Structures are given as structure tokens and as C-alpha cells.
Amino acid sequence: MIAGDITEIIGVDIGGSGIKGAPVDLAAGAFAADRVRLPTPAKSTPKAVARVVAAVVDKLGHDTGRAGGPGSPIGVTIPAVVRDGVVLTAANIDETWIGTDATARFEQQLGRPVVAINDADAAGLAEMRYGAGRDRGGSVLMLTLGTGIGSALFIDGVLVPNTELGHLPLHHGDAERWAAAAVREQDDLSWKKWARRLQKYLALVQRLLWPDLIILGGGVSRRADKFLPHIDVPTEVVQAQLHNDAGIIGAALAASQKPATDDVQETLL
Ligand code: BGC
């Protein structure tokens, strides 16, 4: 539920190379103004990242005039397991994140209520609400193919958080080290060669979960024509519709579930 008539909430997506934010129009499921992007600090400690997140929010206010009120919540994605706002793993971020209360850290830096959520879970929420998973019941698995492989599992539209299927063992290690989209670029693989790796990964996931639908997301999903024709598993596999915007939109969606702080509530009543 969105409090009162607030339909615009800022979402911020922390990625391996960039920290991106935008005000999201939750009625439309789209950005309400242009996205702002700043580079992820080379040493991505909680302190350094929180500063850049605050700079993104400031810049949004400056560039677009749309940073929201001081009490309005902000959603932030993290590429790690996040339970009750606390980060529990660090495969693709600085290991000092482990044990960090991300919600508290961002709230302190931003002076606003924050919801911290795993990046793939956020992307999945957005796809389920506005994209390829819309109106889909049963079990739906969203996979984000980027620096790592993120996963978000939904049962009748309800998220099972922190599934971490990018770490399934495949080819002598974590699957994401061999089949993530970034590996295609790093190892200079042809689309077809990378698609063969993706096929092996999807076959593994499929055998274990038998979902009703698999949605492939991440920036690479824009190029689905290059790899989807090589994928063949006994489950429907579709490309995501929100591509790289899904994380920001899902972060905003998650934040919309957090009540605004008192001063904002008052202005709404
Ligand atoms: C992390 C996940 C994350 C995924 C995509 C993995 O390495 O463990 O939490 O969702 O990368 O960023």
C-alpha cells in the first residue's frame, strides 16, 4: 500500500560499477524523472557506499527536483543476502558489509526511512508487478544476469527472499563465476558459447525447482535475441521487460511498504 497520495518514491540500485537512483512513479511502474548514476567506490565499504547513495539522492533533488520529502522512505538494493536490514554475505561487495545493519547505516546517512533489499529480490518484485511476471501465479523464478547471478523466487506472487541460486555449484565452482553475463565479456565468449553455459545453468536450476516460469533479467536481457534461441528447458523462459530499471523500481516498491515517518504522516492526514 502506498500511504495517502504518495505515488512517487526514490529507488537506489547498488551495482558493481554504478550506484543508480531515480524517483519511481509507482502507479506507472516507471521512472518519474531521469536516472542519476555515480560510480561505485573502488573499495565498496559501507561507509563509502552510503556516502555515494546520499550523493545520488542529493543529485536527484538537484537535477530533477524530485528527491521527495525529508520523511519519505527510500528503497536501496544490495547485491547480497539482506535479512531484516542486515547484510549477511558479500560475494560481490566489500566483505566489511557482512554483519552491517544496512538499514540503520543508510538511515543515518540519509536522515530518512530506508528499506534495504537484495538486488535480485527487488528486480523480481518489479517484474512481478509491472513486467514479465505480471498476473502470473504458481512458482516464478526471476534470474538477474550481470556481474553475478541473482535470483528471486515467487510462489503465487509472494517472494521467498534471499534464494541465492547464483551460488549453485556448476563447473568446479559457483555457477555465477562461469555463467554470469559479465563472464561473457571478461572471457570474450561468443553469444553462442555463453548461451551454452547459460543453458547448463538453467537446466540445473530447472531440475531442482521445476518452476512454472523463468524470467531472465539484467542488462543483457535486452539482447535476448542473441541467446534465448539457444535455450531449451522444459519450462517457459522469457526475457524481463524492465531490464536494468527493475532494481530501482523494485527498491521503490519495497520502500512503499514502509510507513513514512511521523512528520510526513501528519502532512498526509
Ligand atoms: C550475490 C547475490 C546477488 C547477485 C546479483 C550474487 O553474487 O550473492 O546476493 O543478488 O550476486 O548481484
Side-chain angles (χ1 to χ4, degrees):
M1 280 299 296
I2 303 163
D5 57 359
I6 292 186
T7 58
E8 218 177 277
I9 286 191
I10 288 180
V12 178
D13 192 22
I14 299 174
S17 58
I19 297 184
K20 299 146 278 181
V24 176
D25 176 344
L26 290 172
F31 294 171
D34 283 349
R35 189 188 84 149
V36 160
R37 179 188 190 277
L38 292 175
T40 306
K43 186 143 174 60
S44 55
T45 59
K47 191 171 170 187
V49 168
R51 280 206 187 126
V52 178
V53 169
V56 165
V57 174
D58 273 0
K59 203 162 152 40
L60 275 175
H62 188 264
D63 292 4
T64 70
R66 295 175 109 112
S72 54
I74 293 186
V76 182
T77 76
I78 303 183
V81 169
V82 185
R83 201 160 59 191
D84 295 329
V86 178
V87 175
L88 299 176
T89 62
N92 288 318
I93 46 168
D94 193 84
E95 61 181 26
T96 52
W97 273 99
I98 296 176
T100 298
D101 185 333
T103 304
R105 163 67 71 165
F106 290 128
E107 287 188 340
Q108 189 189 26
Q109 188 84 38
L110 297 166
R112 290 165 69 163
V114 168
V115 171
I117 179 173
N118 170 265
D119 57 356
D121 284 351
L125 286 176
E127 283 294 332
M128 293 303 283
R129 178 73 69 94
Y130 308 107
R134 211 165 148 175
D135 302 325
R136 293 292 299 244
S139 68
V140 178
L141 179 67
M142 160 93 184
L143 295 170
T144 60
L145 308 167
T147 310
I149 296 180
S151 59
L153 179 64
F154 294 84
I155 309 297
D156 286 334
V158 177
L159 173 67
V160 180
N162 295 312
T163 44
E164 294 291 312
L165 299 185
H167 298 287
L168 283 173
L170 187 66
H171 199 77
H172 322 297
D174 276 15
E176 68 175 14
R177 303 249 169 253
W178 186 67
V183 180
R184 184 185 67 81
E185 287 168 18
Q186 278 155 26
D187 294 1
D188 208 12
L189 300 175
S190 65
W191 283 104
K192 199 170 170 192
K193 276 198 172 143
W194 178 65
R196 269 195 226 128
R197 292 187 181 193
L198 186 62
Q199 163 67 24
K200 288 206 169 113
Y201 174 65
L202 292 179
L204 172 64
V205 168
Q206 201 279 330
R207 281 207 299 282
L208 296 174
L209 287 182
W210 286 89
D212 297 305
L213 173 68
I214 296 177
I215 303 172
L216 298 181
V220 77
S221 57
R222 288 185 197 282
R223 314 289 308 275
D225 59 310
K226 299 277 185 197
F227 58 88
L228 217 44
H230 302 291
I231 301 300
D232 183 18
V233 288
T235 284
E236 187 186 353
V237 181
V238 297
Q239 103 192 82
Q241 287 173 8
L242 304 172
H243 309 295
N244 256 349
D245 296 350
I248 294 178
I249 295 174
L253 206 47
S256 74
Q257 263 118 46
K258 181 152 179 159
T261 48
D262 290 341
D263 50 341
V264 171
Q265 289 288 17
E266 270 164 30
T267 61
L268 289 172
L269 294 171

